[in-house]
Amino acid sequence: MNPSKPQHYRIIACALLLLLLMLAPFLLGARRPPQPLPDSPIIDMHCHTAGLGAGGSGCFVSEKLRNSFKLRFYLKSFGVTEEEILREGDALVLRRLSAKLAESKHVSRAVVLALDGVVDEHGNLDRARTEFYVPNEFLAAEIPHHKNLWWGASVNPLRPDALARLDWAKTHGAVLVKWLPSVQDIDPADERFIPYYKKLAALGLPLLTHTGNERAFTHAHDELCDPARLRLALECGVTVIAAHAATTGEFANEPSLDHLAKLMTEFPNLYADISSLTQINKRTHLAKVLSRPEFTSRLVYGTDYPLIAIRSLVSPWYFPRELGLKQTVAFSKIKNPWDRDIAMKQALGVRTETWTRFESLMSK
């Protein structure tokens, strides 16, 4: 039996109203007004570079990674080709990065990160087990040529001269130390590292260390990136920044994020950066971090550049309900990757003080 015409119209009207309510966030825009950007300049404290050893840089990439699609993907995101690097040297990547950053309206500086390798039982660099290597000496020599760049050192604590390397890095302008434990075979909970941690604290160098799962390389020992393993460094007084806020992976059947949040309640010297948290594979992660009270005053701005420059990976179109149609279209037209990243994260709820927190950490 067919419904009468009035009933038929009411069903259609209800269906249209329901559809309108579902689309309202997308059509009308963000649900909450964003906090303003700071008046002071913004620093991106989490950027990468790449190198093939061209120009005597000392960088290298393992044969396995060099033959994988990932290297070509990364080089494209830097805006370079392998042929250009081999012709002009690895410093070309830094020149392109600096030039693009100079076009940003909001970000005045970026910290480019070195990456130490795996160390063997004799304390030497183990090239066979190292996938990607960017030496401190290369960045210390090249970064001074770019007024808008700082650099972060990377020193594997298993090196016999690790403490001397930290002193050298600080003297040559490093503003932090970077670890990727699951790739460098570093266990942050190893008590042999206590002198290393005390040296970091004495030098005032924050430790930026990857937390959660790692999928940028061909292999990783993810258990080494459990935030719970950072307790020793924190107890030694190190200012620790958990890269990517431990938003991926589980350890001991608990989300990595929960492990980090528990430590936040105990240690005021623990922070987390918001780099990579708007990627399509992490599109819900920034909202999770912003909703946790443990992180309210502990977040630091970083991007994981060059990945923010890849529109198939990071795009406002992946947040239609959160941003709304008007902002989604407007943000997608922003050409500079840093300005686009800031516009998105600001609209998604990042607090004003987050943008400039890193500079205060350098003086702790």
Side-chain angles (χ1 to χ4, degrees):
M1 182 177 178
N2 294 328
S4 63
K5 285 188 177 182
Q7 290 175 315
H8 182 68
Y9 291 146
R10 280 196 293 271
I11 292 173
I12 294 175
C14 288
L16 290 174
L17 179 60
L18 179 61
L19 180 62
L20 183 61
L21 290 173
M22 292 174 63
L23 293 176
F26 179 70
L27 295 173
L28 299 178
R31 290 170 289 179
R32 56 187 175 190
Q35 291 198 7
L37 295 177
D39 295 328
S40 51
I42 295 173
I43 299 169
D44 176 1
M45 47 69 65
H46 192 145
C47 291
H48 296 282
T49 188
L52 303 175
S57 70
C59 301
F60 72 82
V61 178
S62 71
E63 197 67 24
K64 186 174 183 181
L65 183 58
R66 191 160 183 169
N67 291 330
S68 76
F69 77 94
K70 292 184 177 182
L71 180 64
R72 293 187 293 275
F73 181 79
Y74 296 146
L75 292 181
K76 183 178 180 181
S77 65
F78 280 113
V80 299
T81 64
E82 185 171 344
E83 291 74 21
E84 285 179 313
I85 289 179
L86 294 176
R87 183 175 65 248
E88 300 186 41
D90 290 340
L92 173 66
V93 179
L94 296 172
R95 293 197 296 271
R96 295 269 172 92
L97 190 163
S98 177
K100 187 170 292 186
L101 179 64
E103 298 171 353
S104 171
K105 297 178 181 179
H106 300 297
V107 180
S108 62
R109 283 184 183 268
V111 180
V112 182
L113 304 173
L115 188 64
D116 204 354
V118 179
V119 172
D120 64 21
E121 64 273 17
H122 304 295
N124 300 316
L125 179 67
D126 190 336
R127 293 179 67 98
R129 293 193 294 147
T130 297
E131 284 205 62
F132 195 80
Y133 180 66
V134 179
N136 298 320
E137 294 79 5
F138 169 59
L139 292 186
E142 293 295 334
I143 291 298
H145 298 307
H146 307 284
K147 293 182 179 180
N148 59 353
L149 300 182
W150 282 336
W151 72 284
S154 185
V155 178
N156 191 316
L158 292 170
R159 287 186 179 271
D161 60 346
L163 302 189
R165 287 173 181 258
L166 291 178
D167 278 325
W168 186 94
K170 178 72 174 183
T171 301
H172 287 79
V175 297
L176 59 80
V177 169
K178 163 68 173 176
W179 281 3
L180 212 172
S182 58
V183 172
Q184 295 171 306
D185 282 353
I186 297 171
D187 182 358
D190 192 329
E191 293 187 354
R192 291 178 296 171
F193 301 163
I194 289 176
Y196 183 103
Y197 290 144
K198 289 183 176 179
K199 173 64 78 170
L200 280 180
L203 293 174
L205 286 172
L207 175 62
L208 171 65
T209 183
H210 186 97
T211 49
N213 289 347
E214 167 58 51
R215 294 296 176 265
F217 294 81
T218 61
H219 75 279
H221 302 292
D222 286 330
E223 69 278 3
L224 296 177
C225 287
D226 179 355
R229 293 179 181 261
L230 298 174
R231 177 176 293 276
L232 181 60
L234 294 164
E235 290 175 342
C236 289
V238 180
T239 296
V240 177
I241 304 171
H244 319 303
T247 47
T248 57
E250 290 189 355
F251 303 103
N253 297 317
E254 291 184 329
S256 181
L257 181 64
D258 287 351
H259 282 201
L260 183 60
K262 289 176 183 177
L263 285 178
M264 289 278 186
T265 63
E266 295 183 55
F267 295 99
N269 50 324
L270 176 59
Y271 298 83
D273 80 21
I274 57 173
S275 63
S276 83
L277 300 191
T278 50
Q279 291 177 188
I280 186 172
N281 59 317
K282 300 180 180 180
R283 68 169 307 280
T284 63
H285 293 1
L286 182 60
K288 289 179 182 178
V289 171
L290 294 177
S291 68
R292 299 286 292 256
E294 301 94 336
F295 294 89
T296 299
S297 61
R298 305 291 186 86
L299 297 178
V300 184
Y301 177 64
T303 64
D304 211 14
Y305 183 89
L307 299 185
I308 57 164
I310 305 173
R311 292 192 181 240
S312 60
L313 187 63
V314 182
S315 169
W317 290 101
Y318 301 144
F319 300 89
R321 289 181 56 83
E322 296 89 346
L323 298 177
L325 180 60
K326 183 177 180 180
Q327 286 192 139
T328 298
V329 173
F331 295 169
S332 67
K333 293 179 180 179
I334 300 174
K335 293 183 178 180
N336 185 271
W338 281 278
D339 291 343
R340 189 167 60 249
D341 183 70
I342 284 179
M344 288 175 57
K345 287 175 177 172
Q346 180 190 22
L348 292 170
V350 172
R351 300 171 65 89
T352 302
E353 61 270 19
T354 299
W355 307 107
T356 55
R357 181 166 284 121
F358 175 69
E359 195 158 13
S360 68
L361 299 187
M362 291 194 303
S363 61
K364 289 195 173 186

